[in-house]
Structures are given as C-alpha cells and as structure tokens.
Amino acid sequence: MNLHIEKLTHPNTDILNALNKWDNSPDLIPFIRPNRNKEELEQCRNMDMDEFKDRLESHSMFLIYVENNLVGEMNYMIDPAHLFKKVRGTAWVGITIGDPDARGKGIGYEAIRYLEKEIKEQGLARIELGVFEFNTQAHKLYSQMGYQVIGRIPDFTYWNEKMWSDIRMEKVLV
C-alpha cells in the first residue's frame, strides 16, 4: 500500500466535494459528528468554500492518499474550547477515513502517528480526543497507542435509537 499524507494549504472544489461526501455518508455520520437526536443524525450538511477556508484558519488539515487516491482527512486544533482538560498547548485531533475500501487497513494508525509527529514538531506536548462509546474499534486503537481515558461526557450523541457517551482520551508526547 502506497500511503501518502500531505498538508492542505489550498482548498479546491474537488477536496471540498470529497469532505462533503464523507460528512454526509450515513455510514460515517455517527462516527464523525455528535448528534442530539435522530433528526440531526439524518441531516445533510454541506460546507461551502468560504466555510472550508475558515476551517483552514482554525485547523491544521492533512489529506490522506493511498495509491494517489484521496481516502481520508485528518486535522488538529490547538486549545479549542471543548477540551475536557483545559491544559494550554493541547492539540485536539480528528481523523476521517472516508473511503470505505480504505478502512480496516491500518491507515488510522499511520494517520495518528503522523499527527503525533506533526504536533510534537509544533512544540506541543499533549493531545486530547473524543471517541463515541460505541466506536469500540477506534477506542481500542487509541488505547493501544498509549491514549488514556480522562473522562466521559454522558448522553453526548444519538445513534442506534439511544444516547451514548463521549469518551475523552489524552496522550502526553515525550
């Protein structure tokens, strides 16, 4: 597998269309955004180019390619308001493997390793993330990579006819 990651610096409509496709995929929505109820879970959201450019102002974004095909996106923010532990100099990370054929092949692991290296090079020493409690595969991966549970936010997201917690995890980079 030829995996390539590149920093996104110039948004374009092809990338915007891919992000919107993934953000509205019924298979991905429960895993990538919190939803308060069934209506939110089923709602389509399309980012426009101005919103995309605004997102690049607050997020360091990276594109994930396999064999030169865009398969995912990852990003981090520094010190967002939604941190569980308000520790200055914390990176909040997010990863989406949008292409269904690319899931379960170790790309998430490589993406996290890449983000950790980037974040450390930026002089940051702590990463925090949230994983919905039903996403056992992601929770297992993060745990194996040294992330520790620091808290739970109950009734955080709706999926499969019930409310689920958000598990907050952290890793201190050494």
Side-chain angles (χ1 to χ4, degrees), residues 25-104:
S25 168
D27 294 341
L28 284 175
I29 289 171
F31 296 94
I32 61 176
R33 70 178 193 218
N35 301 285
R36 289 179 291 225
N37 52 46
K38 185 176 182 179
E39 291 75 30
E40 276 191 19
L41 179 68
E42 295 171 348
Q43 187 177 47
C44 286
R45 302 177 187 176
N46 281 307
M47 179 171 39
D48 64 26
M49 188 57 76
D50 288 333
E51 291 168 315
F52 191 14
K53 290 175 182 175
D54 287 346
R55 187 171 179 203
L56 274 175
E57 300 276 327
S58 61
H59 295 68
S60 292
M61 295 180 66
F62 302 85
L63 302 174
I64 306 167
Y65 293 89
V66 172
E67 308 301 338
N68 294 319
N69 295 314
L70 181 62
V71 299
E73 175 269 334
M74 59 189 182
N75 64 75
Y76 70 89
M77 308 169 65
I78 301 171
D79 297 336
H82 58 266
L83 289 175
F84 190 81
K85 279 180 156 179
K86 307 293 186 205
V87 177
R88 289 192 52 75
T90 296
W92 174 271
V93 300
I95 299 170
T96 300
I97 307 301
D99 182 342
D101 294 333
R103 296 183 203 136

Side-chain angles (χ1 to χ4, degrees), residues 30 35 37-38 41 134 157-164:
N35 301 285
N37 52 46
K38 185 176 182 179
L41 179 68
F134 58 82
T157 192
Y158 176 88
W159 180 68
N160 204 18
E161 306 299 325
K162 70 181 225 176
M163 295 300 291
W164 299 82

Side-chain angles (χ1 to χ4, degrees), residues 81-131:
H82 58 266
L83 289 175
F84 190 81
K85 279 180 156 179
K86 307 293 186 205
V87 177
R88 289 192 52 75
T90 296
W92 174 271
V93 300
I95 299 170
T96 300
I97 307 301
D99 182 342
D101 294 333
R103 296 183 203 136
K105 296 187 170 142
I107 295 169
Y109 172 82
E110 293 299 330
I112 295 166
R113 284 188 44 211
Y114 187 94
L115 278 179
E116 287 178 355
K117 181 178 172 279
E118 285 289 320
I119 289 165
K120 192 171 183 178
E121 286 176 2
Q122 294 301 314
L124 303 169
R126 181 175 179 273
I127 296 175
E128 185 173 315
L129 57 83
V131 60

Side-chain angles (χ1 to χ4, degrees), residues 79 82-93 112 116 119 125-131 138-139 141-152 166-174:
D79 297 336
H82 58 266
L83 289 175
F84 190 81
K85 279 180 156 179
K86 307 293 186 205
V87 177
R88 289 192 52 75
T90 296
W92 174 271
V93 300
I112 295 166
E116 287 178 355
I119 289 165
R126 181 175 179 273
I127 296 175
E128 185 173 315
L129 57 83
V131 60
H139 185 265
L141 173 63
Y142 296 134
S143 295
Q144 289 173 340
M145 294 187 74
Y147 288 79
Q148 301 290 319
V149 174
I150 56 172
R152 294 171 88 82
D166 192 34
I167 302 169
R168 296 298 176 92
M169 303 180 83
E170 74 175 344
K171 182 174 183 178
V172 176
L173 303 173
V174 288

